[in-house]
Amino acid sequence: MRDVLVMGMGTSGLVAALRCQEAGLKVTLLAKGVGSTHLAPGTIDVLGYDPELVENPSEALPRFADRNPEHPYARIGADVVARSLEWFSERFDGYRYTGSVDENFLLPTAIGSIKPSTLVPETLAAGDLRKGGRLLFVGLRQLKDFYPALTAQNVANAKTPSGADISARAVQIEPPISGEADVTGLALARKFDDPGFLDAVATQISALVDGDEAVGLPAVLGLRRPREVWEGLQEALGRPVFEIPGLPPSVPGVRLHEILVAQFESAGGRVVVGAEAVGADTEGDRVTAVRVAAAARIKPFVARHFVLATGGFGSGAIEMTSSWKVRENVFDLPVMGVPADGQRFSPRYFDRQPMGRAGIRIDDSLHPLDGSGRRLYANLTVVGACIAGSEAWREKSGEGISLSSGYKAATTVIEEAM
Amino acid sequence: MIEDLIRGSLDHCVKCTICETHCPVSRATPLFPGPKYVGPQAERFRSGDVSPDDSLDYCSGCGICTQVCPQGVKVAEINSRARRTLKESRGIPLRDKIISRPTLSARLATPVAPVANWSLRNKLIRAAVEKTIGVHRRAPMPKFAGRTFQSWARKHDAPRLDRSVVYFHGCSTNFFEPDLGAKTVAVLEHNGFNVIAPRGQGCCGLPLQSNGLFDDATGYVERLVAKLAPYAREGYDIVATSTSCGLMLKREAYEILGMESDDLRVVSERMYDICEFLLDLQERGELETDLSPVPMKVPYHVPCQQRGHEMGKPAVDLFRLIPELQVVDTQRACCGIAGTYGLKKEKYDIAMEVGRHLFEDVTRMEPEVSVCDSETCRWQIEHGTRIRSVHPIELLHRSYEL
């Protein structure tokens, strides 16, 4: 029997699985497919808007949790969020993360908007716009997902709290690529792993830089050895270089995924990809097994503890039928916060969307609750995007909730298992 | 019905590109634009016998796209079925009809194995074969053993044991690697299983399927499951050492060939990959653990078709039980061969490029052997590294000192 079965391999599932495995528990990480890391920018955004721009998450979080008692952060706790960030930062050497819960970076996105992020890969940090600066955005002609002129123009017009001066311009280079039908960011990242390719790109950029400009490129600076690529380019150009995450496949997201999976497997964890949890066996307030659809058969996975990290509506973990029935697909947990007819959605895309807050209600140790606040299963914890009460895309809180809830679920499991 | 199921999954595609990030072929050649483009996107332009996208033929059919899809889109199945339509509309080359029938050539070659093996390694003959039918002159070819696993099994003096299990050994164990079959029997007997190896087990049809010959493949599956089904109905589990052939009977016969039959259903419900079967024993506390040290450091490659079982990496979990054995999971996507893909003149170089990083990793370790669950992958890895590649059973067999 396994000690822990974690379902889902986005950030929350990976973090919960890794912490439990490293604490000496035997963990199986089960996933229907590869998780949301590949679609996310690879930054840890804890709290960006409340609803005004948040400059210091550690100051803002307690207030935010008080005002939003149904929010995941109210259950997780600001202190746990801070501890989870420290734990996360310490996991990386070589390709490192930088930042702290006491401040938000303001990083440019691919369309030149500004996004508050708390922990960011070191390779992104020099794009921080809080103190302004002179920036050169470099496009790679073959990459159709990044337009440096768009980025530069919007960044130059961006308003930061300090009002510091930002100047930005754009150039385009043509890296030496032959015979590629369609170049994705990932294909380019693999090319950057080759030192010869990096040299050729550095030579082209160095002819275009001016004064003390920092150089921004799409986040494609290497997949297997990003730190060497980034440092090599900074050295060759004699100035700060930063990456800008863009459309999927997200290279910083893939790096994050590969690093965490490798750490989990080398600690002895077991990964099963392609198999979907489709149901569960329970006895009273305990889950005894999760039923998993693998090739040819539904297999029961028996474990002592279970972590639900399957995601929300986006991943299909929570589904809504055409008759507005909402269902969580593994344990049939009650989905809370589903708004009444007429209040489900706002007509404007970027407004508050009440349906987005629907999810599983949890207690302070992340066990799922029913409508009357009663704990449903004592050996099941719920993490990540399936928790009710947040509007991650507005708050810029998704990865922060995932990381801190994954971290805290592991604490619960470890305490209960030991 | 299968058509509805597979095409229905199309609408779940959110264009997230996760399949693209895992495709081993599109990163090796611009001739294949990737599973999303030729799968969920190009499928919109296909109907009936119309398949406008030739690049589809460069899909190797490894299936990783379906495994990693977080939305449950049957990308590989969509592509396999579309490729059949494409190949039928273009005419299937003689070459593909020959290399997809390994049992046929093996039956002819086994009695004259030395001559057959010499011919397959003769440069002039191979050059002529490349020119006439299009099998690449350097493509890896297994050696005919000259004897079959079945002939060994008939003479094998089996102990009388309480439990029995059926062994689906597949063509490759029978004709090319009979020793693997004997070692599998020894490991199973050591764990208290009487091993039944039904005679007349033909090919599972996988090579035919991957070459678009669905009708012939379906016939092969029907004949094979007719042999195995009586045992399944009696309640025997069936184990396979050919991980791809096991998967064919577990899943691909349904989801690619679109078969539905009672024989197939009972067989697939009882079908286990050998490592899956042994790990299940271990989980129940029933696996013999008198394992002696095997002081080696070996690279292990998870074959694509093994991933298709959706069971993790049971071989790695079993290796952890062997004292002093250090196994390094290469974490590489694919060796390139994909059954018969890498044999083809126009695809050999792509297959070698797909496997290049794996070959480099294995070679760098200078191991005594490398380990992999699939036979065509082992032959390709040996071809790319000049280092012997073995099935996980070999290490267990060695550790049990049988």
Side-chain angles (χ1 to χ4, degrees):
Chain A
M1 193 204 303
R2 303 296 282 177
D3 294 319
V4 189
L5 178 70
V6 177
M7 291 149 273
M9 67 186 320
T11 304
S12 65
L14 282 166
V15 166
L18 181 54
R19 266 200 91 205
C20 289
Q21 183 69 36
E22 290 190 342
L25 298 170
K26 291 189 190 118
V27 183
T28 295
L29 177 57
L30 177 83
K32 173 183 171 185
V34 165
S36 55
T37 42
H38 285 51
L39 314 180
T43 56
I44 304 293
D45 304 352
V46 171
L47 185 65
Y49 295 95
D50 174 28
E52 298 307 312
L53 183 74
V54 170
E55 294 182 60
N56 179 336
S58 69
E59 257 177 40
L61 270 173
R63 251 190 358 250
F64 177 81
D66 278 350
R67 277 208 313 277
N68 301 282
E70 294 298 319
H71 193 278
Y73 281 147
R75 302 276 77 78
I76 295 163
D79 54 330
V80 175
V81 175
R83 280 210 299 283
S84 71
L85 292 171
E86 275 171 39
W87 173 88
F88 183 85
S89 297
E90 286 163 8
R91 305 224 53 89
F92 297 87
D93 56 354
Y95 179 68
R96 287 194 300 245
Y97 274 72
T98 180
S100 89
V101 72
D102 298 326
E103 53 182 330
N104 271 336
F105 291 92
L106 292 180
L107 298 183
T109 68
I111 57 164
S113 61
I114 291 182
K115 188 165 77 77
S117 295
T118 310
L119 287 188
V120 305
E122 215 174 17
T123 56
L124 271 62
D128 190 9
L129 296 166
R130 283 177 295 176
K131 296 197 178 108
R134 285 164 40 77
L135 307 171
L136 175 68
F137 290 95
V138 179
L140 310 171
R141 193 198 56 80
Q142 295 91 337
L143 183 66
K144 64 190 184 315
D145 293 340
F146 184 78
Y147 297 92
L150 172 72
T151 318
Q153 195 177 2
N154 282 335
V155 164
N157 293 330
K159 298 273 177 292
T160 64
S162 69
D165 266 359
I166 302 170
S167 75
R169 62 186 188 101
V171 294
Q172 186 103 283
I173 62 165
E174 180 153 357
I177 298 172
S178 58
E180 292 285 332
D182 184 21
V183 181
T184 64
L186 196 71
L188 272 165
R190 292 195 178 106
K191 296 214 177 288
F192 270 102
D193 282 339
D194 165 12
F197 186 82
L198 173 63
D199 290 347
V201 169
T203 306
Q204 289 191 33
I205 299 175
S206 61
L208 301 167
V209 289
D210 181 39
D212 60 351
E213 283 171 329
V215 172
L217 288 119
V220 300
L221 299 182
L223 187 65
R224 292 242 163 184
R225 42 193 294 279
R227 182 164 186 204
E228 288 89 331
V229 175
W230 170 69
E231 282 182 338
L233 196 54
Q234 292 203 127
E235 204 169 300
L237 299 176
R239 62 192 62 237
V241 169
F242 60 96
E243 297 185 293
I244 303 140
L247 288 177
S250 158
V251 174
V254 176
R255 291 174 195 150
L256 172 62
H257 172 92
E258 292 193 350
I259 290 169
L260 293 182
V261 170
Q263 290 182 1
F264 176 66
E265 288 198 308
S266 67
R270 212 181 264 178
V271 180
V272 181
V273 178
E276 185 179 2
V278 293
D281 300 327
T282 59
E283 271 175 34
D285 73 342
R286 295 197 72 80
V287 178
T288 51
V290 161
R291 291 195 297 277
V292 175
R297 63 182 67 94
I298 299 214
K299 264 188 156 172
F301 271 58
V302 180
R304 294 196 290 147
H305 298 270
F306 298 84
V307 180
L308 186 69
T310 43
F313 287 111
S315 64
I318 297 176
E319 274 182 347
M320 184 164 57
T321 67
S322 52
S323 55
W324 303 100
K325 292 262 186 306
V326 180
R327 184 175 190 274
E328 183 281 311
N329 278 321
V330 184
F331 300 94
D332 200 11
L333 297 171
V335 179
M336 303 295 177
V338 179
D341 188 10
Q343 298 163 22
R344 290 168 182 140
F345 300 103
S346 307
R348 283 156 43 129
Y349 190 80
F350 290 107
D351 280 357
R352 302 198 71 165
Q353 297 292 350
M355 187 59 88
R357 289 196 300 276
I360 313 301
R361 226 174 123 202
I362 51 167
D363 64 17
D364 286 351
S365 46
L366 310 198
H367 296 298
L369 301 176
D370 69 10
S372 60
R374 195 175 54 91
R375 181 185 285 190
L376 285 165
Y377 297 110
N379 62 339
L380 172 65
T381 46
V382 178
V383 299
C386 47
I387 306 176
S390 74
E391 279 179 274
W393 70 93
R394 283 175 64 85
E395 301 158 3
K396 297 284 168 247
S397 61
E399 294 291 309
I401 293 169
S402 290
L403 166 59
S404 57
S405 63
Y407 178 90
K408 185 161 188 173
T411 306
T412 299
V413 171
I414 293 163
E415 275 171 10
E416 290 174 2
M418 296 294 180
Chain B
M1 190 179 128
I2 183 74
E3 203 66 30
D4 292 347
L5 190 74
I6 290 170
R7 280 199 81 148
S9 79
L10 200 60
D11 289 340
H12 292 268
C13 176
V14 296
K15 313 286 179 262
C16 75
T17 71
I18 281 176
C19 58
E20 302 276 322
T21 65
H22 286 78
C23 177
V25 178
S26 63
R27 76 178 72 157
T29 173
L31 294 172
F32 185 61
K36 175 175 72 101
Y37 293 94
V38 304
Q41 283 174 201
E43 186 74 5
R44 304 278 178 205
F45 299 95
R46 298 182 188 121
S47 73
D49 55 358
V50 179
S51 186
D53 178 19
D54 282 11
S55 66
L56 179 61
D57 189 44
Y58 280 89
C59 164
S60 75
C62 77
I64 189 72
C65 41
T66 293
Q67 297 314 309
V68 297
C69 175
Q71 303 292 345
V73 182
K74 298 282 182 187
V75 188
E77 290 75 8
I78 289 169
N79 288 342
S80 292
R81 291 179 68 82
R83 185 173 47 228
R84 180 231 192 160
T85 307
L86 176 78
K87 292 193 75 158
E88 279 187 343
S89 68
R90 302 284 192 280
I92 296 175
L94 175 67
R95 184 259 328 263
D96 295 6
K97 292 178 182 167
I98 295 172
I99 59 176
S100 59
R101 287 179 170 80
T103 34
L104 188 68
S105 47
R107 280 209 190 93
L108 295 172
T110 294
V112 290
V115 180
N117 288 331
W118 176 83
S119 311
L120 288 177
R121 276 150 192 81
N122 181 292
K123 284 189 178 155
L124 284 173
I125 293 175
R126 287 294 297 269
V129 169
E130 178 182 294
K131 217 172 163 69
T132 50
I133 64 169
V135 173
H136 195 281
R137 65 185 75 191
R138 286 196 300 279
M141 291 287 160
K143 271 193 178 143
F144 296 104
R147 56 203 156 80
T148 63
F149 169 71
Q150 277 290 343
S151 63
W152 175 89
R154 279 199 291 281
K155 288 183 218 130
H156 173 56
D157 189 13
R160 283 171 167 267
L161 299 161
D162 294 342
R163 303 187 283 183
S164 293
V165 67
V166 171
Y167 182 24
F168 163 45
H169 50 68
C171 333
S172 93
T173 305
N174 200 31
F175 296 108
F176 304 115
E177 300 180 327
D179 285 351
L180 169 62
K183 285 173 179 168
T184 303
V185 171
V187 167
L188 287 166
E189 285 176 350
H190 184 69
N191 279 287
F193 286 93
N194 201 23
V195 180
I196 304 164
R199 291 171 67 174
Q201 297 180 27
C203 171
C204 68
L206 176 58
L208 289 161
Q209 173 202 290
S210 61
N211 282 288
L213 295 149
F214 277 26
D215 294 342
D216 295 344
T218 302
Y220 275 45
V221 174
E222 279 169 356
R223 286 194 290 279
L224 176 59
V225 293
K227 291 263 186 226
L228 297 174
Y231 297 97
R233 289 203 177 88
E234 276 183 58
Y236 293 114
D237 286 335
I238 306 168
V239 295
T241 44
S242 289
T243 200
S244 54
C245 309
L247 185 66
M248 180 72 181
L249 297 189
K250 263 188 176 181
R251 192 157 65 83
E252 295 196 345
Y254 296 101
E255 296 189 358
I256 295 178
L257 295 179
M259 288 180 67
E260 282 173 67
S261 86
D262 222 38
D263 281 356
L264 176 61
R265 187 184 52 77
V266 292
V267 168
S268 59
E269 280 171 0
R270 289 280 173 182
M271 179 65 66
Y272 291 86
D273 183 79
I274 183 73
C275 290
E276 174 188 27
F277 182 78
L278 294 174
L279 188 66
D280 281 356
L281 285 184
Q282 198 259 337
E283 301 258 300
R284 296 199 297 268
E286 295 172 15
L287 187 79
E288 289 294 338
T289 50
D290 54 335
L291 292 153
S292 310
V294 178
M296 290 204 303
K297 187 175 177 184
V298 292
Y300 170 68
H301 171 64
V302 186
C304 307
Q305 301 291 321
Q306 192 270 11
R307 291 176 219 252
H309 287 261
E310 298 154 344
M311 61 188 180
K313 302 171 191 168
V316 171
D317 298 313
L318 291 169
F319 294 149
R320 288 188 212 280
L321 305 172
I322 300 178
E324 295 179 35
L325 176 65
Q326 251 186 294
V327 173
V328 179
D329 182 351
T330 61
Q331 307 272 9
R332 294 296 182 183
C334 179
C335 72
I337 194 76
T340 57
Y341 183 88
L343 306 181
K344 298 171 184 176
K345 184 175 69 176
E346 72 281 10
K347 296 181 177 112
Y348 171 84
D349 289 333
I350 297 170
M352 292 303 284
E353 174 60 20
V354 167
R356 182 166 58 88
H357 294 292
L358 171 63
F359 307 150
E360 286 168 4
D361 288 353
V362 170
T363 310
R364 203 175 302 121
M365 279 180 65
E366 299 179 5
E368 185 187 322
V369 295
S370 71
V371 190
C372 179
D373 312 65
S374 162
E375 55 273 22
T376 54
C377 307
R378 287 196 293 276
W379 303 333
Q380 168 83 343
I381 295 167
E382 285 182 352
H383 175 61
T385 64
R386 309 281 158 209
I387 293 165
R388 198 164 84 88
S389 185
V390 301
H391 189 281
I393 280 292
E394 297 245 359
L395 296 183
L396 278 171
H397 183 267
R398 196 186 290 202
S399 181
Y400 278 131
E401 298 184 327
L402 299 173

